[in-house]
Amino acid sequence: DQQVKQNSPSLSVQEGRISILNCDYTNSMFDYFLWYKKYPAEGPTFLISISSIKDKNEDGRFTVFLNKSAKHLSLHIVPSQPGDSAVYFCAASYDGSSNTGKLIFGQGTTLQVKP
Amino acid sequence: KAGVTQTPRYLIKTRGQQVTLSCSPISGHRSVSWYQQTPGQGLQFLFEYFSETQRNKGNFPGRFSGRQFSNSRSEMNVSTLELGDSALYLCASSWQGPPYEQYFGPGTRLTVT
């Protein structure tokens, strides 16, 4: 049972345009969501997060939107740069003794930004 | 601050052997989580340690174990290695409680032959 899903395995955009990466979740207990970027042979790098009490969080070129009713979140990168080419993982968590220290990850979306 | 470090970076072992991987968290972080990444299963949670105690465990067989030391450094051990244990093993550290951002090390690439 995959609780966090990234249905698009890959995405290709032109440099300077907007990249939109999507993520859906099924567990209504999730109250914290994160995005990570991963290059080959490296560990995931934390990008941005959002609490379920918010519907938007911005950090520079990165914005995450959360739609709780649809159990959907998205990461917008504007403008996209070739250095953004990587695998992007969506992750979720909830506050509870049975879930300490555990992030549940989607399968990832490979973003390619073309010069 | 120095990031999360993991040693060794690469390891080749034979079926049936055991292996120990090491992780040093970011200074001040007391929670250490371990994940296994494979092409088929993605990133799967193994276990989490806090103050030398395992607080949470994922759905992995008992061959996978870990521990944490008083300085928050952590080790994970896999006994009786199987071919399917070939994976990237990632360690992540975080502050206690929310926010839940975890900071990952570069990983240890384990190949079982």
Side-chain angles (χ1 to χ4, degrees):
Chain A
D1 174 32
Q2 199 163 351
Q3 301 182 65
V4 178
K5 299 178 186 178
Q6 294 176 256
N7 292 317
S8 299
S10 63
L11 174 68
S12 181
V13 300
Q14 209 65 35
E15 180 180 5
R17 306 295 289 267
I18 184 172
S19 295
I20 300 176
L21 297 103
N22 294 303
C23 178
D24 297 297
Y25 62 95
T26 57
N27 190 339
S28 57
M29 291 182 66
F30 289 145
D31 59 8
Y32 206 77
F33 303 89
L34 309 91
W35 283 94
Y36 285 84
K37 175 171 76 173
K38 187 179 185 302
Y39 295 117
E42 293 184 14
T45 300
F46 169 71
L47 277 175
I48 191 169
S49 61
I50 188 166
S51 164
S52 60
I53 62 173
K54 296 185 175 181
D55 53 19
K56 177 183 174 182
N57 189 27
E58 266 182 280
D59 185 0
R61 297 187 298 115
F62 301 92
T63 303
V64 56
F65 295 91
L66 175 62
N67 182 332
K68 288 187 291 294
S69 61
K71 293 191 175 69
H72 177 84
L73 63 154
S74 60
L75 175 69
H76 292 210
I77 306 174
V78 184
S80 300
Q81 300 172 354
D84 295 329
S85 298
V87 179
Y88 288 78
F89 290 95
C90 166
S93 183
Y94 63 86
D95 191 12
S97 59
S98 63
N99 200 55
T100 57
K102 179 180 179 180
L103 295 178
I104 298 169
F105 285 85
Q107 293 292 93
T109 297
T110 300
L111 173 66
Q112 182 187 31
V113 181
K114 297 178 180 178
Chain B
K1 269 188 183 178
V4 178
T5 58
Q6 290 186 248
T7 56
R9 291 293 310 277
Y10 302 92
L11 210 47
I12 300 175
K13 289 286 188 178
T14 305
R15 258 185 314 176
Q17 289 185 315
Q18 74 162 20
V19 66
T20 299
L21 313 181
S22 181
C23 170
S24 292
I26 291 171
S27 177
H29 284 186
R30 294 168 64 190
S31 171
V32 175
S33 298
W34 288 88
Y35 295 85
Q36 180 196 65
Q37 185 184 22
T38 58
Q41 297 298 316
L43 276 147
Q44 301 283 312
F45 173 77
L46 280 157
F47 30 65
E48 186 250 3
Y49 285 86
F50 180 85
S51 290
E52 303 178 64
T53 300
Q54 185 183 88
R55 294 197 302 185
N56 199 5
K57 190 178 191 311
N59 190 24
F60 279 83
R63 299 185 296 107
F64 291 82
S65 63
R67 60 177 176 168
Q68 187 180 35
F69 302 94
S70 58
N71 62 357
S72 294
R73 190 177 70 85
S74 178
E75 290 181 347
M76 70 162 280
N77 183 277
V78 188
S79 62
T80 320
L81 284 165
E82 300 177 359
L83 294 178
D85 297 333
S86 295
L88 180 67
Y89 289 89
L90 292 158
C91 160
S93 75
S94 64
W95 184 247
Q96 175 188 6
Y100 300 109
E101 287 86 4
Q102 294 184 5
Y103 296 88
F104 284 82
T108 295
R109 171 69 63 185
L110 172 64
T111 302
V112 182
T113 62

